[in-house]
């Protein structure tokens, strides 16, 4: 085998754990009266749970995630903060594991409530009572809250109760109606509350309550890129996806690029071929014109994204050659811009990074 003498494919994701920490501290400064769960579901939005958690070990008020295995990892790694299971428990065994790991659980449905009442737990759990305020995904209706609350209060498996909701439109039209519903359901209960995702944390301070739940902003994505850029919020990019040119082509006028030949050169031009494709997690829906950096200079993608490659315009970058550095998103090129060009959101770009992309972490 001679594989070891092959140069590595140049694609790499660099995770700036210091930027992650700075973004978390910004979220805390923005909601100074609240405690802030670091939302690290989905392997910290594709950034790496272990390294992101480590970067905020001494400052994080808590962690929110979905998976008991991830909660178990944090407890084994001696994180002592509250951990919130955002979808609660899925089966009977989960309640016992949650109790033994000392994690807080969302209760969002009658079957979950019944399972909690029926369990014989080693210690009572802190429960986040989820109230549906218009997302219509998880949660009890406002009308159901009094009965659910009474049952939770009567259960010996419940140590404390926090009222919770999740907004469907905090990044857009706002939260007036859902907030009014949530207030109606909780205001006479004496419950502490948790309602704010990143967008609500940044835009609607009245929703901060006892616990905010910032996610995307910790990773340097704007929760509402059409309204405010990440840089304008003061957020720093955490993931930078880099690669290099592995080929350069000289096109004549009329020649085409990539599958389907969707880009046609209007005049003679140089193009670069980048070692990055949809099998790395780059969005195939990114159309011609999606921004990309070559040797730090902003240019555009050309034609369809292939599985392992994409093409870019080298007009105005005469020094670009095989080996030139390419930034797909991150430092110098906001992921939000690439996401918008691909008809998606930065969340999806980050989570879609595939396992074949080597990841490195900076600890400065
Ligand atoms: C993912 C999630 C968040 C974080 O949302 P962002 O938009 O990434 O800030 C907050 N709360 C709940 C319930 C979530 O599922």
């Amino acid at each position: 085998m001679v594989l070891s003498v092959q140069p590595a494919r140049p694609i790499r994701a660099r995770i700036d754990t210091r930027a992650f920490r700075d973004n978390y501290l910004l979220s805390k400064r923005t909601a100074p009266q609240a405690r802030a769960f670091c939302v690290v579901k989905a392997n910290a939005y594709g950034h790496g749970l272990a390294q992101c958690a480590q970067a905020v070990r001494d400052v994080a008020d808590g962690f929110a995630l979905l998976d008991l295995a991830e909660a178990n990892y944090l407890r084994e790694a001696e994180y002592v903060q509250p951990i919130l299971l955002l979808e609660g428990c899925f089966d009977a065994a989960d309640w016992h594991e949650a109790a033994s790991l000392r994690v807080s659980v969302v209760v969002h449905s009658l079957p979950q409530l019944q399972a909690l009442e029926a369990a014989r737990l080693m210690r009572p759990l802190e429960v986040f009572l989820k109230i549906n305020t218009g997302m219509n995904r998880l949660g009890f209706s406002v009308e159901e809250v009094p009965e659910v609350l009474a049952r939770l209060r009567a259960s010996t498996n419940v140590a404390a109760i926090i009222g919770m909701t999740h907004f469907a439109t905090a990044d857009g039209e706002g939260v007036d109606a859902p907030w009014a519903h949530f207030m109606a359901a909780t205001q006479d209960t004496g419950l502490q509350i948790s309602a704010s995702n990143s967008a609500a944390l940044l835009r609607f301070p009245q929703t901060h309550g006892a616990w905010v739940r910032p996610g995307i902003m910790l990773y340097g994505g704007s929760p509402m890129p059409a309204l405010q850029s990440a840089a304008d919020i003061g957020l720093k990019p955490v993931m930078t996806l880099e690669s290099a040119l592995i080929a350069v082509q000289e096109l004549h006028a009329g020649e085409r690029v990539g599958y389907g030949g969707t880009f046609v050169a209007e005049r003679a031009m140089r193009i670069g071929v980048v070692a990055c494709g949809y099998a790395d997690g780059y969005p195939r829906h990114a159309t011609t014109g999606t921004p990309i950096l070559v040797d730090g200079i902003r240019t555009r993608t050309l034609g369809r994204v292939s599985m392992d490659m994409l093409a870019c315009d080298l007009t105005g970058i005469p020094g670009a050659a095989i080996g030139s550095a390419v930034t797909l998103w991150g430092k110098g090129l906001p992921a939000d811009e690439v996401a918008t060009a691909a008809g998606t959101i930065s969340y999806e770009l980050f989570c879609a990074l595939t396992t074949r992309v080597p990841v490195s972490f900076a600890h400065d």
Side-chain angles (χ1 to χ4, degrees), residues 39 41 45 64 66 84 86-87 106 130 137 164-166 195-199 213-217 219 223 347:
V39 181
K41 63 191 180 190
Y45 290 43
L66 293 176
L84 175 60
L86 287 166
E87 292 180 352
V106 166
K130 183 136 187 200
R137 247 172 22 176
M164 172 185 175
T165 194
H166 190 51
S196 310
N197 58 3
S198 298
R213 306 188 306 270
I216 193 65
M217 68 180 293
Y219 307 95
Y347 302 66

Side-chain angles (χ1 to χ4, degrees), residues 24 35-38 40 60-65 71 74-75 79-85 101-105 126 128 162 211:
Y24 178 71
R35 291 196 280 172
F37 282 118
C38 235
V40 290
D61 298 320
F63 297 95
L65 41 71
L74 291 177
R75 286 294 183 244
Y79 289 85
V80 297
Q81 291 94 332
I83 296 175
L84 175 60
L85 275 192
L101 292 173
R102 286 171 289 106
V103 306
S104 307
V105 294
E126 184 176 66
F128 282 64
I162 289 148
W211 279 101

